[in-house]
Amino acid sequence: MSPALRDKYSRPMRDLRISVTDRCNYRCAYCMPLDEYEWIDRQEILTFEEIERLARIFIALGIEKIRLTGGEPLLRRDLARLVANLAPLEGLLDLCLTTNGSLLAENAEALRAAGLMRINVSLDTLDPQKFKRISKRGDLSKVLDGLFRAQSLGFDPIKINAVIERGVNDDEVLDLVEFGRINRFAARFIEYMDVGNSNHWHSSKMVPKQEIIGVINSRFPLVERGREHGSAPSLDYLFADGIRAAGVDVGVIASVTEPFCGSCTRVRLTADGKLVTCLFSNSGFDLKALLRGGASDKEITAAVESVWRARTDRYSDERLEALESAKGYDPEAHRKIEMISLGG
Ligand SMILES: C[S@@+](CC[C@H](N)C(=O)[O-])C[C@H]1O[C@@H](n2cnc3c(N)ncnc32)[C@H](O)[C@@H]1O
Ligand code: SF4
């Protein structure tokens, strides 16, 4: 790897999130509130071979962890084949999947056999009706089947990710923690963010980390454990009574109220091969054009290096500065790539 690869704030590039599809079978109100989107043309979606080639190049540049995401990654046919080819890559320490869980029960065995190391499953509510309301098309029982199937195959830890939205599921924080505690899943809460352009985000809809932790502490006292590693987005906690749900019992991703741009080592690859250096970017660098234009590995490496070296993103820091300023923060003033294309 190239030890000198640092961005303008001296941040190294360590984690790669690959969106394998922009399609999704849900329409979560906070992520994809519209019924229809302009989907990426199928020919423009990177093939598994193209993803693997890029993965090797990124690993040589310092990437240690890859997360497969989307859209809904399990909608991509034969995803286990991609996992099987990525898992053995030398230098890759962690290969994870973030999924809505709807198709996990039938895919978990093949993913496990292919070498997938960890799974995060999105689960915002334990109430079947509310689940349908939030996801518009989802069926809670399928997600629960997927979770337990994955657990029975030995995936550990499994994290359940909940986006907490005021007036929607903020009354379920304790239920989700208890569900994790009883069934040995790590419950992770994500502050509602202004991703994409259509969720009409307002800070009043966001439940801050302090409030979430306060609610949990009132029933299940917690001990703060810090971050898994310096650049991890989640601040982790253990139950003070020593009951272990998973390696980590509770986590909160507080990108709005306690942004972690200063230690952000994440880079994203969109389903159509754009390299994006921040979740809130409005454009990306077209690596597919290089791949399909016959560029050598050396040329692609040089392009990635120059994009990373020029990186100055600190969007969440700037949002907090604006939120705390007299002028306030206007999420619509800044156009962003939709989260489904760039891989949440
Ligand atoms: C975009 S999804 C893609 C993977 C998969 N479809 C899933 O739902 O897990 C990745 C993660 O982003 C989170 N997410 C989506 N929109 C968000 C928002 N507005 N604020 C915070 N997290 C969000 C989801 O809850 C999910 O955990
Ligand atoms: S959060 Fe995941 S499941 Fe929900 S709409 Fe977005 S991509 Fe689909």
Side-chain angles (χ1 to χ4, degrees), residues 191 227 254-263 314-321:
E191 284 183 349
R227 298 183 194 272
S255 29
V256 180
T257 62
E258 295 176 17
F260 33 83
C261 299
S263 58
R314 49 183 298 279
Y315 187 83
S316 296
D317 280 350
E318 287 163 1
R319 175 180 47 219
L320 184 62
E321 284 157 19

Side-chain angles (χ1 to χ4, degrees), residues 21-33 37 69-73 98-102 122 124 134-135 163 339-340 344:
T21 177
D22 60 337
R23 270 81 170 166
C24 190
N25 51 348
Y26 286 8
R27 289 292 179 278
C28 302
Y30 51 75
C31 176
M32 269 180 107
Y37 286 80
T69 177
E72 173 44 43
T98 297
T99 172
N100 65 23
S102 58
S122 297
D124 300 317
I134 295 176
S135 64
V163 177
M339 195 166 186
I340 42 163

Side-chain angles (χ1 to χ4, degrees), residues 181-251:
R181 188 173 150 100
I182 292 171
N183 296 298
R184 305 199 65 255
F185 300 116
R188 278 221 312 203
F189 299 96
I190 309 178
E191 284 183 349
Y192 182 30
M193 299 182 282
D194 58 318
V195 293
N197 305 295
S198 29
N199 66 8
H200 302 296
W201 184 88
H202 187 271
S203 58
S204 60
K205 294 187 186 174
M206 185 262 316
V207 181
K209 175 194 139 209
Q210 291 287 15
E211 188 177 328
I212 294 172
I213 291 299
V215 168
I216 303 172
N217 258 323
S218 68
R219 170 103 160 270
F220 303 110
L222 297 172
V223 179
E224 190 175 316
R225 206 187 76 162
R227 298 183 194 272
E228 192 181 339
H229 52 84
S231 62
S234 169
L235 195 54
D236 295 334
Y237 297 81
L238 297 175
F239 293 124
D241 63 8
I243 297 213
R244 289 287 78 88
V248 172
D249 301 331
V250 169

Side-chain angles (χ1 to χ4, degrees), residues 32-49:
M32 269 180 107
L34 311 178
D35 269 335
E36 276 307 318
Y37 286 80
E38 248 180 64
W39 305 112
I40 300 172
D41 198 279
R42 282 187 197 276
Q43 276 99 291
E44 303 304 317
I45 304 255
L46 293 188
T47 65
F48 285 170
E49 289 65 33

